Amino acid sequence: MTTEDLIYLRDTAYNIAKSKGFFLDNQDDSAYIAAIHEELSEAFQAWNKHLGWYSVNPKPDGIYFELTDAVIRTLSYCGYKGISLKEKSFDMTREYTEDDFTDFLLKSHFDISQYYELTNKEIRDDYEYNMVFRMMSNILSGFIARVELFIEQSSNGNYFLDDLIATKLKYNMTRTAKHGGHNV
């Protein structure tokens, strides 16, 4: 996705989440980061239980949509925190397949964990603050790019992250406030 796409989706995801009652309380960053990890874990549960990669019946479901939920949570969190996102790419010598899912998932958890480490860093001055903020943007942009690449490659080009996000956001607009029993 382009930087412009990411900015648009960030703002859209944040506005939808806010309209559904999320981001109204002043919770700490760790709760939001944990929620992204939770979505990745839900993708693993879907994979582990052989629930399939893609389904819309009528709720968007399956591994790809659980990964999409992780990205939507990341996008809305970035909107909440005012974190810029930018287009990123990975140079891969081989393409992801569905068989690479667990490897991909562990790398994705690691990406998000790096962000968490930065949020707990003691910042001494404005220069360090600006550096840390840019690093946060790079980590979260890279995470989104990794998910995008995995979905596109493992589905053999049948699914694209921006389409999955649009489908899921459209569905989320029909849901009640704080749907899914989530606090964050």
Side-chain angles (χ1 to χ4, degrees):
M1 280 184 272
T2 67
T3 298
E4 293 78 20
D5 293 336
L6 287 166
I7 291 167
Y8 172 78
L9 289 170
R10 176 200 65 193
D11 295 345
T12 302
Y14 171 64
N15 288 329
I16 291 171
K18 190 173 176 183
S19 77
K20 296 299 178 180
F22 297 103
F23 298 108
L24 300 179
D25 299 328
N26 190 18
Q27 296 179 337
D28 63 32
D29 288 343
S30 61
Y32 292 110
I33 301 308
I36 297 167
H37 282 291
E38 177 186 31
E39 296 297 349
L40 292 172
S41 295
E42 288 177 15
F44 177 73
Q45 284 181 323
W47 175 84
N48 196 35
K49 294 179 180 179
H50 307 286
L51 299 180
W53 292 90
Y54 179 92
S55 171
V56 179
N57 192 18
K59 178 185 181 221
D61 209 3
I63 296 165
Y64 290 140
F65 280 114
E66 295 299 346
L67 295 174
T68 300
D69 285 342
V71 170
I72 289 171
R73 283 198 174 268
T74 303
L75 290 166
S76 61
Y77 175 74
C78 289
Y80 173 66
K81 296 296 281 185
I83 296 172
S84 299
L85 295 168
K86 57 187 165 198
E87 182 177 355
K88 298 284 259 177
S89 64
F90 287 98
D91 293 327
M92 304 250 324
T93 56
R94 65 176 176 87
E95 290 193 8
Y96 279 127
T97 68
E98 290 178 355
D99 292 336
D100 298 316
F101 177 68
T102 54
D103 179 62
F104 153 79
L105 196 62
L106 290 171
K107 289 177 181 172
S108 297
H109 276 292
F110 179 74
D111 290 344
I112 298 302
S113 295
Q114 288 179 12
Y115 179 86
Y116 176 73
E117 290 299 320
L118 283 174
T119 63
N120 288 308
K121 180 174 176 33
E122 185 176 324
I123 298 174
R124 296 177 295 244
D125 56 31
D126 287 344
Y127 174 78
E128 195 168 291
Y129 173 82
N130 290 331
M131 291 296 293
V132 166
F133 207 73
R134 277 192 298 244
M135 289 167 49
M136 290 175 176
S137 171
N138 285 334
I139 290 167
L140 296 176
S141 296
F143 165 70
I144 293 169
R146 183 184 305 281
V147 174
E148 180 178 33
L149 182 69
F150 177 79
I151 289 172
E152 184 177 331
Q153 289 181 348
S154 67
S155 74
N156 295 312
N158 289 318
Y159 302 109
F160 296 92
L161 182 58
D162 53 346
D163 295 333
L164 296 172
I165 290 171
T167 299
K168 192 64 189 254
L169 287 177
K170 184 177 177 184
Y171 176 77
N172 286 351
M173 286 297 298
T174 68
R175 300 179 83 182
T176 60
K178 294 240 179 167
H179 51 268
H182 296 284
N183 290 322
V184 179

